[in-house]
Amino acid sequence: MRMQPEGDVGPRSMRAIGAMLWQFMKPYGWRILGLVLFNALIAWITPLRQISVAPALNILTKSITPPAESLSTITLNNVGPTLLHWLGLDPAQPMRVILVIVSIYVGLTVVQALLDLLGFMIMIKVRLGMLRDMVVAAQRHLLTLPLSFFLRRRAGDLVSRVTNDISATANSLDAIVRGVMQSGVMVAVYMAMLFRTDAMLAGGIVMIGCLHLVLNGILGRSARRRTRLSSDTLAALMHRMIETLQGIRVIKSFAAERYMDRQNRDSVNDYCEATERFRTILYLDQPIRLVINALVIALAVAACFYSYNNGRLGVTGFGLFLLLCLQLVNPLSELSRKFLELQSIMGGAARIQELFAEQNTLVDGDLTPAPMREGIVLRDVRFRFPKGNFELRDINLEIRRGEMVAIVGPSGSGKSTLVDLILRLYDADAGEVLYDGTNVKRFLQRPYRRQFGVVAQESLLFNGSVSDNVVFNREPNPDAVLRALDIANARGFAEKFADGIHTFVGDRGVRVSGGERQRIAIARAIYESPSVLVLDEATSALDSESEAAVQEAIDRVTREVTTVVIAHRLSTIQHADKVVVLKDGRIEAVGTSEELLASSPTYRRLYALQFGGAEAEAA
Ligand code: ADP
Ligand code: MG
């Protein structure tokens, strides 16, 4: 499914969104049911409280009609006397009646308040539980998606889906469930009383009440679209912030603060504009509803008067009918508002659902790879990025166990992409990548990738100690950590930190230099002795002194394991068993350095650039 920046939520995705929301509500089924019952109970109490004052009206107007014989014959005309009858109160003792009625009124309110509190506590648990489940599930799902997904997406967009959209959805959902239940039950109770007293009158009121639904119909689609737009612009805003923070060094050194400020302001403006439009629609309905409510009340007054004159309503019936109509309008408009709100959260929920709908396009096999015995073979491999013209093609290459294979070539010739194919971060469009003779698609991805240790050009150290960064996701083993640090030429400097190898590095820890960071990364790559070590320009971002230190580490490591090294400096690959020259996505030549000087013009050119023209000529 595509993630559209602006668009409506179609009926099919509505169903998908509903299914997703239900999936997260299901674990809380009982609690939600409890909430619903609670709210139904609470909702009953409000009209009961109103009706409990009925006997006072009867006493005031001195119109004591006969009580109803049974529940089914209660109407607003006789509810007062019926209550007096049930409570065994004598209308001749008005003070006593008032006292009892007032006590009942206060008692019911206290009960309602207590239930409200309890419902609120359950609701918080449900709301936070759902929020937690959704965030965990979304993060877990994100981690299952292939690298290519993340290359297509903006980080801010993903962050805002996992944070803003999920919390907005989880938070409003329970408010809506509660609101719909409470208002729904109240409307039903009031309507039942009104209908029983005067069906025609009540029918007229329902008709006008339906104007609320018409309003919902008119505004709903727009509400969905506008929430969506507001979420999308928030995502763009978050992306800007992430970009600013990540690029702060570049921004500062280019004195580009004002430029970034302008861009940030534009994003904020977009967001505010979209949010204003979204808020407008959420509040635009309020004044309209006010008018609809006024119409309901106007009709009620006129019709009550008419019925009273006709003798269909008594004095107290008239008063109560009007009272209940006045009470009805609020829950009635609240109920339809909740449905409008529900429509509006669909915009944000759609963004979450789209995230969950993303599938891992790299299909897992079922084999678990053993440590490599023979080697890796690429046969007629072809690969093209979905967006872009670059294509790797006719890739035939063998990496035998124990070999050091170097890949060289101009920038953009496809070296990193070739390695990514070996790691199966992408699948080849044609041809195959074989690991010990088995197509890599047949392996479980994670065990397969764990056969590799990878060092990238600029390695990321996570927040944690040196030791944590070496162990990373594997079993901690202090001896192995020291061994890896030794081999990586990193133990010396790491032990000089304040807390030795337990010193925090990364974002919030000590700042390590580029060379130190790369050596920690090498230790991480060789911890647990991988079958194949992959070095993608591991030294290219370093100054010569650090490079020498890292190179020494690399030389030590490559004697022991199979290595694929992408090198920007040819001096570092003089003892490679095999050098592969890539140019424009094709293998131009394979051989030793001396052979390539004879056979590969690209290699000759790279060689001349680094060692000077004369030397290349001589060779
Ligand atoms: P090298 O490592 O040799 O410098 P790469 O393998 O990183 O080159 O990239 C090879 C080519 O593929 C480049 O032209 C680059 O622009 C293109 N490329 C890399 N990643 C992507 C991507 N995710 N989408 C589209 N094109 C890409
Ligand atoms: Mg590269």
Side-chain angles (χ1 to χ4, degrees), residues 390 392 406-422 534 536-537 564-568 580-583 585 606:
F390 178 79
L392 264 182
I407 303 175
V408 299
S411 168
S413 57
K415 305 180 294 291
S416 298
T417 310
L418 178 58
V419 164
D420 289 346
L421 281 166
I422 295 175
V534 175
D536 187 349
E537 310 211 14
V564 179
V565 51
I566 298 178
H568 78 301
V580 180
V581 184
L582 267 185
K583 178 151 190 289
L606 291 172

Side-chain angles (χ1 to χ4, degrees), residues 427-474:
D427 269 338
D429 297 333
E432 43 188 8
V433 180
L434 304 167
Y435 175 95
D436 278 349
T438 307
N439 191 323
V440 295
K441 291 184 185 177
R442 296 184 54 205
F443 291 119
L444 286 161
Q445 288 173 47
R446 293 191 310 126
Y448 173 70
R449 282 191 207 113
R450 287 179 83 157
Q451 296 298 325
F452 295 84
V454 182
V455 183
Q457 186 172 345
E458 289 201 41
S459 303
L460 178 71
L461 295 187
F462 291 90
N463 278 313
S465 66
V466 174
S467 167
D468 294 339
N469 267 286
V470 173
V471 174
F472 199 30
N473 58 335
R474 282 91 33 115

Side-chain angles (χ1 to χ4, degrees), residues 196-214:
R196 174 161 293 174
T197 310
D198 193 327
M200 222 174 69
L201 240 178
I205 287 167
V206 169
M207 301 266 281
I208 298 198
C210 282
L211 285 177
H212 281 298
L213 298 181
V214 175

Side-chain angles (χ1 to χ4, degrees), residues 277-315:
R277 288 175 35 159
F278 150 64
R279 292 273 167 210
T280 316
I281 199 122
L282 265 195
Y283 291 102
L284 177 72
D285 70 318
Q286 301 253 57
I288 304 179
R289 290 192 199 285
L290 215 57
V291 175
I292 297 177
N293 288 344
L295 287 179
V296 172
I297 291 170
L299 177 85
V301 173
C304 278
F305 202 69
Y306 177 77
S307 290
Y308 176 69
N309 279 343
N310 272 355
R312 290 223 305 266
L313 278 181
V315 184

